[in-house]
């Protein structure tokens, strides 16, 4: 069960589902200020393969797997930079809020949702797990 202290104070939680996952190209655990792992989670949404990274469209019957981290405001700003959040309607990603279950506890999380206009024929990742998809690509 997640440590209750992770939800106190100014910390916010983020759900990461792609290159920000542990072991990914932009592994959040290598960023500073250091995030704190809360647990694994799933959200309703379809994952798309955009080449070097995925995009998530929230909602629907599909499920996407990811990790939840408690982060400080400075790390949220860093993530906004990685995801190139400018607050414009043509941004590649939009910041959204989702409520997820992590180890039996309800957690409100920030998630970066792909702008659907950026999908243009991108293939769907049927398994809903970027790390599994990347493992398949490496193995062959």
């Amino acid at each position: 069960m997640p440590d209750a202290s992770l939800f106190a104070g100014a910390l916010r939680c983020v759900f990461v589902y792609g290159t920000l996952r542990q072991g990914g190209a932009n592994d959040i655990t290598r960023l500073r200020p250091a995030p704190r792992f809360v647990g694994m989670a799933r959200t309703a949404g379809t994952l798309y393969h955009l080449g070097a990274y995925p995009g998530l469209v929230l909602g629907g019957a599909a499920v996407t797997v990811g990790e939840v981290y408690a982060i400080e405001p400075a790390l949220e700003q860093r993530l906004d930079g990685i995801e190139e959040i400018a607050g414009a309607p043509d941004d590649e990603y939009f910041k959204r809020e989702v409520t997820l279950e992590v180890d039996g506890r309800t957690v409100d999380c920030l998630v970066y949702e792909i702008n659907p206009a950026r999908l243009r024929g991108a293939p769907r990742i049927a398994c809903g797990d970027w790390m599994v998809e990347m493992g398949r690509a490496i193995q062959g």
Side-chain angles (χ1 to χ4, degrees):
M1 178 170 275
D3 179 352
S5 68
L6 294 175
F7 307 104
L11 294 181
R12 180 175 190 178
C13 288
V14 61
F15 174 77
V16 296
Y17 55 84
T19 63
L20 288 167
R21 286 180 63 185
Q22 187 170 9
N26 291 317
D27 186 337
I28 194 171
T29 65
R30 295 191 313 246
L31 302 177
R32 298 292 173 257
R36 289 190 245 163
F37 181 72
V38 176
M40 298 297 295
R42 298 172 181 272
T43 191
T46 302
L47 203 56
Y48 292 88
H49 200 301
L50 302 170
Y53 55 92
L56 170 65
V57 175
L58 292 168
V63 174
T64 293
V65 175
E67 302 160 3
V68 175
Y69 292 88
I71 59 171
E72 295 180 26
L75 183 53
E76 181 177 344
Q77 290 177 343
R78 180 106 189 262
L79 297 176
D80 288 353
I82 290 169
E83 303 298 358
E84 300 178 3
I85 300 295
D90 63 342
D91 282 355
E92 185 169 21
Y93 288 91
F94 301 122
K95 289 171 79 165
R96 304 287 191 222
E97 294 288 332
V98 295
T99 301
L100 305 175
E101 186 175 309
V102 180
D103 293 332
R105 184 181 190 124
T106 300
V107 181
D108 292 327
C109 296
L110 161 68
V111 65
Y112 293 91
E113 180 180 28
I114 192 72
N115 181 339
R118 301 290 188 111
L119 293 176
R120 294 190 189 94
R124 184 175 166 266
I125 299 173
C127 69
D129 189 322
W130 177 250
M131 301 307 276
V132 168
E133 182 73 8
M134 290 296 82
R136 286 185 185 141
I138 291 168
Q139 292 174 4

